[in-house]
Every structure is written in structure tokens, then in C-alpha cells.
Amino acid sequence: MIIAIDGPAASGKSTVARALAKRLGAGYLDTGAMYRAIAAEALMRGVPLDDADALARLAGSARIAIEREAGSSLPSRVLLDGRDVTGEIRTPEVDTAVSPVSAVPGVRAAMVRVQREIGATGDWVVEGRDIGTVVFPDAAVKVFLTASADERARRRVVDMARLGASVDVDEMRRRIETRDQYDSSRTASPLRPADDAVGLDTTGMTIEHVVDALAAMAERR
Ligand code: DC
């Protein structure tokens, strides 16, 4: 069974998807981490972000693996061609580069191929932007999470503080809104809810509350 969780930046997808996967005993796949890994590699190799062919070649040949850390039940370490890029993919530079990289059709085709191979292996909670619309249109449960821009900015600032980075909330809200605008207006698989997705505004909801709602949907399937 596939549970597809889509939504804009910092809408709570990762936290909710991880908790839900744990509760259901399913796998957890963070597709944003895959696009981030390609963006980080492009920056490292100096591939111009407007060179669609070079980006597609890079995505087509990259081996991305998402592995468990010792003692953890869910995967969180991201490897690209064997190199650990877990920290690198969460930098402000990658935040900025990932939208143009993920807008390239050839990059998307390579990532979607891998995502479908992984999904075919069992029960997965998959989070991203196009999971319910493109990657798994037959997913058993499709959810589109949203939250107000202010709340999303506040949540992301707290996440970054945990990683040791200090960012102003207004600056973070501007970055998030710019990325959403880019992701929603691209031609290739833009961010949008699937017609049959259940929309959930998580502003003011606790994680537990959201996970309860999604687990109930999964159990009804
Ligand atoms: O979920 P995230 O913020 O880590 O995702 C990073 C970027 O990757 C996001 O700005 C758009 C892109 N992305 C995408 O285009 N399709 C997906 N399925 C997941 C992420």
C-alpha cells in the first residue's frame, strides 16, 4: 500500500510521514531528499543550474540510497554514489538550487523511475510534491498538507536552529514562498493536490493529531 503525502515546503510532511510510517510499520521515502541530493551534487561539480541536459545526465547516472542509522527504525542518511550528503542537502544554497534542478523533466524522469521501483517493494509512506498526481496516481491514501506561511516559517526556523543555524522568520517566510511559487508554476509535475487527495490544513494542529487522522484513513483502506 502506498500513502502519498504532498504539500508545499515546511507543511509538516516529513514529521508526519515519518511518524505515520513508524506507526503503520511501513517504509518512509522522502523524495525531496532525492532532488536535494542531485542539487547538492550539481553545486559541488559546478554544473550550471540552467543546463538541463547536464542536470538530466547527472540525475540519470547518480546512485541515490537512503539508509537507516544504527539504532533508528527509519532511514535518514542520504548517500549519493556512496558519499554521505545528509548534512549538505539542508543548506540554504541547496534550498535555492533545488527548485530549478527539480523543474528539469529529465531529472524528474530519473527520480520517478527510482521512486516507483522502491514503492513496488511493499508498504510505503511517500512524501513529496507530485506523489499523488504523477508518481503513484493509484495510491491507497492521498493527502495534501498545508499550513499558513507564518506557521511554516516558524517551524522551519526551529528545525534549522536544531541544526545549529539561525535564520530570521521573515527571511525564512520569503524563502519558503519563493520556493512554493517556483514549484507550483513549473511545467513539469507542478505542486498541486491530486483531484482525489484529502486536503488537511495543519495550522495549529499537533503532529499527533495529524498522524491520528492519516492513520485512520489508512486503516479504512
Ligand atoms: O520536501 P523538500 O522541501 O525537501 O523538497 C525539496 C524540493 O524538491 C522542493 O522545493 C521541490 C522538489 N521536489 C519535487 O519537485 N518533487 C518531489 N516529489 C519532492 C520534492
Side-chain angles (χ1 to χ4, degrees):
M1 176 167 76
I2 299 288
I3 299 179
I5 303 187
D6 289 302
S11 55
K13 300 184 302 293
S14 298
T15 312
V16 165
R18 295 180 75 87
L20 182 65
K22 215 169 195 174
R23 187 173 311 178
L24 300 176
Y28 161 67
L29 180 59
D30 174 2
T31 62
M34 299 173 67
Y35 290 99
R36 285 173 178 274
I38 300 300
E41 186 72 4
L43 291 176
M44 199 194 72
R45 293 200 200 170
V47 176
L49 300 182
D50 57 358
D51 188 340
D53 289 342
L55 291 170
R57 271 198 305 279
L58 187 139
S61 64
R63 277 182 305 109
I64 297 178
I66 310 190
E67 293 186 345
R68 267 194 283 269
E69 308 249 24
S72 156
S73 63
L74 293 174
S76 57
R77 240 159 54 93
V78 182
L79 304 175
L80 194 136
D81 294 335
R83 192 167 71 83
D84 190 335
V85 294
T86 313
E88 227 172 285
I89 65 172
R90 305 286 165 194
T91 61
E93 291 73 24
V94 170
D95 267 3
T96 305
V98 68
S99 281
V101 168
S102 63
V104 173
V107 171
R108 303 202 69 80
M111 295 301 105
V112 169
R113 196 176 328 117
V114 176
Q115 290 157 16
R116 288 186 177 145
E117 278 169 17
I118 295 172
T121 62
D123 293 337
W124 288 87
V125 178
V126 187
E127 66 147 300
R129 301 290 189 289
D130 60 340
I131 309 305
T133 49
V134 174
V135 186
F136 295 112
D138 299 326
V141 176
K142 296 185 188 180
V143 185
F144 196 83
L145 291 188
T146 55
S148 71
D150 281 339
E151 172 128 352
R152 293 190 286 131
R154 275 195 301 272
R155 288 177 186 166
R156 192 45 68 86
V157 165
V158 171
D159 287 348
M160 298 294 285
R162 264 193 224 116
L163 296 173
S166 142
V167 187
D168 174 67
V169 178
D170 290 333
E171 167 61 19
M172 183 57 85
R173 194 183 49 240
R174 273 193 293 278
R175 275 197 220 160
I176 285 177
E177 285 175 338
T178 304
R179 193 143 63 90
D180 288 348
Q181 171 61 25
Y182 203 119
D183 295 343
S184 308
S185 56
R186 69 186 179 211
T187 316
S189 311
L191 165 68
R192 67 167 185 83
D195 293 338
D196 51 352
V198 176
L200 196 58
D201 183 340
T202 66
T203 312
M205 280 176 87
T206 64
I207 292 163
E208 206 165 38
H209 201 154
V210 179
V211 174
D212 284 346
L214 304 197
M217 278 182 221
E219 272 150 25
R220 282 199 294 273
R221 301 307 303 233

